Amino acid sequence: MQDLLAVEELRVAYGSAEAPLEAVRGVTLALAAGECVGVVGESASGKTQLCLATMGLLGRGARVSGRVRFAGEDLVGMPLRRLNQLRGARLAMVFQDPQTALTPHLRIGTQMAEVLVVHRGAGWSAARAAALAMLGRVGIEDPGWCLERYPHELSGGMRQRVLIGACLLSEPQLLVADEPTTALDVTVQAQVLELLARMRRESGMAILLVSHDLAVVAGLADRIAVMYAGRIVELAATARLLSGPRHPYSAALLQCVPDIRGPIPVRLPTLPGQPPAIGERAGGCPFAPRCERREARCLVETPPLTADDEGGAHACHRPLPARAGRP
Amino acid sequence: MSTLRFLIARLSSAVPTLLCIVTITFFLIRFAPGGPFDQEQALPADVAANLNAAYGLDRPIVDQYLRYLHGLLHGDFGPSFRYRDFTVTELIDQGLPVSFTLGGIALLIAVIAGVGVGTLAAVGRGGMADRTVLGLAVLGVAVPSFVLLPALGLLFGVELHWLPVAGWNPGRVDDMVLPVVTLALPPLAYIARLQRGSMSEALQSPYVRTAFAKGLPLRTVVLRHALRPALIPVVSYLAPAGAMVMTGSLVVETIAGLPGIGRYLVQGALNRDYTLVLGMVIVYSTLLIALGLVADLLIAALDPRVSLEA
Ligand code: SF4
């Protein structure tokens, strides 16, 4: 079966050609139709750049190489005209901060309806009627009221629902969600994740769900990719990753997630140290300075992403043993 | 606050502002040396005394001030001291339409062209339009109107014979072209630069990224999503731009020999034509206050988050 989204050897660099700052350093990742893949990593791990590349939204300063195939078509270097036919229609994106992601001077109805007007050639009134129905589907209590509001009159959770609704209007095959819950408070986070799960069940779309928080991704994703310093360091089915991470970084991330069934920890363990800054990534394993399993060759040889026998892959010279459970 | 209540509040607060301006101007110009009847040869003492008495200048200054205010309340700006047969009201009535037309058109051109060019420059950063804006900005800021108008006159009037160099025939459009262009250019340059900056910023904003993510064509993104927020700095600049045009008109009307009110302010000040200067100051202040008010109304219309507050 052909993948819906196939990212191949994607590289995104900024800065000059002599001293490039590579934000994404060779990412390969595929999504089947209807699948949900989670991407987890700290800030500056390249996950947002990956999302933007998937939408053809990288700024002028970005130099992109590799391929981002969507339904067989490469988005890298695609003419804007064709790109605009795809995004908003067949692939859509939800952003981190619903506070700023809506245009302040346009009514909610306009911002939702315009998607159908531009992609389906719908009339404004028909498009607004569809927006009204969608607001109900995404759990807005009074859709008619909401349609006429300006963004600043809504709460953060409502705005994120509106944005998700705007994305779903055109029934996309792929939804890219970059930290869709980070800016929201905890109860609303759960509601928005629930909404995404329900919308996925109803529409059968694929989701690329990106978060710094493994717990956010774990509930929804079929597979999880862990990113570190611009690379995927581990890729595995969600259950496998949670029960037996192979890469030391994945294991460390898991330790930072509180277990809701257990007693409330006094202090959540946090991962000591900082990921390397974009400019100072030398050879060797980028995680080495923070890694407890580091050995001599970790400092000189960058571990390649290698497939394991459980259908996953990891990039580590001394991976944790398979099925080790939580370390 | 409703728009009407805002308007009433602002208009009533304009009255004390104007009163302050009138008071300060009244006393300032009185303390300047010389008087309206000074000539190269001193007037005989009795003639001067008669003149002063006729115009009330022999009274105590506070008394004069109160009499002037009393006149103002009845729409009377007083007689001109130099244009002997005219009242200041008559002079303004004759000149204001000319100045208002020239300045209004110039301001309109400056805003529309400035916003247009600035937007194009921001969208096509580094391209043709962008370089034009930068060139224009340098030209508009560096070349004063007393150089620009003669230079344009030399080129389009003397060399090419396309347009008259100076003069004024009511209703003749080509008389207006060079003065209007000269008046419009400095604020146009400034507005273009403002718009370029604010539009570039708007195009970087998260909501514009959302709009691009929706697959909207560039034109729709710029016009529907980015333009209104980008206009706010330009609208805030409306009153200063108006002041720029007014200052320009002092020079341009004098050089081009236009019968507007611009020349009265300078001449009035030089001649110690007290009432004329005061009249001009009142006219200009009122226009600036009105422009500021229009700007506030426009900003509230542009941004639903802004509520009108006096
Ligand atoms: S390669 Fe070495 S340093 Fe890097 S994660 Fe594996 S053990 Fe740690």
Side-chain angles (χ1 to χ4, degrees), chain A residues 83-89 118-119, chain B residues 210-217 221:
Chain A
L83 196 58
N84 274 339
Q85 291 172 348
L86 292 178
R87 58 185 181 191
V118 73
H119 289 297
Chain B
T210 307
F212 278 121
K214 287 176 182 167
L216 303 180
V221 174

Side-chain angles (χ1 to χ4, degrees), chain A residues 247-249 285 287-288 291 293-295 298 303 315-319:
Chain A
H247 195 281
Y249 178 61
C285 172
F287 188 57
C291 183
R293 299 175 62 82
R294 176 182 58 225
E295 55 185 24
C298 297
C316 177
H317 293 308
R318 267 188 78 198

Side-chain angles (χ1 to χ4, degrees), chain A:
Chain A
M1 192 189 76
Q2 194 190 27
D3 291 318
L4 178 66
L5 179 74
V7 179
E8 295 161 18
E9 267 305 303
L10 178 72
R11 285 173 186 276
V12 179
Y14 293 88
S16 65
E18 301 84 55
L21 304 173
E22 279 201 298
V24 179
R25 318 210 297 167
V27 164
T28 298
L29 182 67
L31 255 84
E35 190 186 22
C36 177
V37 171
V39 176
V40 179
E42 287 162 297
S43 53
S45 59
K47 54 196 194 325
T48 294
Q49 299 295 316
L50 173 66
C51 289
L52 294 178
T54 308
M55 294 293 293
L57 280 174
L58 289 166
R60 292 178 215 206
R63 290 196 309 279
V64 188
S65 70
R67 292 170 193 277
V68 179
R69 286 182 197 275
F70 177 77
E73 280 182 87
D74 192 355
L75 301 179
V76 176
M78 178 180 277
L80 191 64
R81 186 174 277 274
R82 178 66 187 138
L83 196 58
N84 274 339
Q85 291 172 348
L86 292 178
R87 58 185 181 191
R90 295 176 60 193
L91 46 121
M93 181 162 176
V94 180
F95 295 92
Q96 170 169 353
D97 190 359
Q99 207 82 15
T100 54
L102 286 164
T103 303
H105 62 267
L106 293 177
R107 291 180 201 278
I108 299 301
T110 310
Q111 303 199 43
M112 293 182 72
E114 66 180 351
V115 175
L116 291 179
V117 171
V118 73
H119 289 297
R120 299 268 173 89
W124 278 98
S125 54
R128 287 169 62 86
L132 187 76
M134 177 58 76
L135 283 175
R137 272 183 69 198
V138 296
I140 298 279
E141 276 181 18
D142 188 349
W145 173 85
C146 183
L147 207 62
E148 298 302 322
R149 296 279 75 73
Y150 291 104
H152 72 278
E153 298 171 295
L154 305 181
S155 70
M158 284 170 93
R159 275 187 283 229
Q160 197 61 295
R161 285 173 195 272
V162 164
L163 276 166
I164 292 171
C167 285
L168 297 181
L169 269 177
S170 58
E171 295 163 0
Q173 293 159 281
L174 171 66
L175 182 70
V176 179
D178 182 15
E179 304 265 13
T181 61
T182 307
L184 307 174
D185 62 50
V186 184
T187 42
V188 185
Q189 281 192 12
Q191 291 167 7
V192 167
L193 285 175
E194 212 292 302
L195 173 66
L196 282 176
R198 181 160 59 83
M199 288 300 154
R200 182 182 168 215
R201 279 197 305 275
E202 287 176 18
S203 68
M205 67 185 171
I207 300 181
L208 184 66
L209 179 62
V210 174
S211 178
H212 68 286
D213 186 349
L214 194 54
V216 164
V217 166
L220 201 58
D222 304 312
R223 289 187 296 147
I224 293 179
V226 178
M227 281 188 78
Y228 192 80
R231 289 199 177 90
I232 291 180
V233 294
E234 181 159 14
L235 176 65
T238 303
R240 203 295 259 137
L241 190 95
L242 295 181
S243 63
R246 304 292 305 274
H247 195 281
Y249 178 61
S250 312
L253 273 183
L254 258 172
Q255 274 187 322
C256 300
V257 178
D259 189 338
I260 43 170
R261 287 156 303 187
I264 297 169
V266 184
R267 208 176 133 265
L268 276 182
T270 49
L271 189 56
Q274 292 265 316
I278 291 183
E280 54 190 50
R281 288 170 189 170
C285 172
F287 188 57
R290 301 164 83 183
C291 183
E292 290 169 356
R293 299 175 62 82
R294 176 182 58 225
E295 55 185 24
R297 82 176 156 146
C298 297
L299 295 173
V300 283
E301 237 178 274
T302 309
L305 190 66
T306 33
D308 57 30
D309 39 13
E310 301 161 303
H314 49 76
C316 177
H317 293 308
R318 267 188 78 198
L320 294 153
R323 299 269 170 232
R326 286 196 174 192

